[in-house]
Amino acid sequence: MQHTRLFRRLSLALVAGLLAVGATLPAMAKSTFSQGHGVKCHWVLTDQPDGTQAYIWVCYRGV
């Protein structure tokens, strides 16, 4: 009986973790995109003034 409860709790934790990863993974799966005319954009992790970190979209023109 205790093994069943433990299994259920671990299963729920695993599913919750996979859902959390699944929500963010598509945005980060391909980090660089070509916008055409030599312009490429990608996500960059930056430090914010309040001490947190956030991803910003950065574009640049290739040479």
Side-chain angles (χ1 to χ4, degrees), residues 5-57:
R5 286 183 188 169
L6 179 62
F7 178 75
R8 284 183 185 165
R9 287 182 182 170
L10 290 175
S11 296
L12 287 174
L14 178 64
V15 168
L18 289 175
L19 288 174
V21 168
T24 58
L25 194 57
M28 306 311 287
K30 183 178 178 188
S31 61
T32 303
F33 298 89
S34 176
Q35 300 294 321
H37 302 288
V39 176
K40 296 197 185 236
C41 299
H42 63 275
W43 291 102
V44 176
L45 185 63
T46 60
D47 294 323
Q48 300 297 308
D50 62 357
T52 61
Q53 293 181 326
Y55 283 95
I56 62 168
W57 187 243

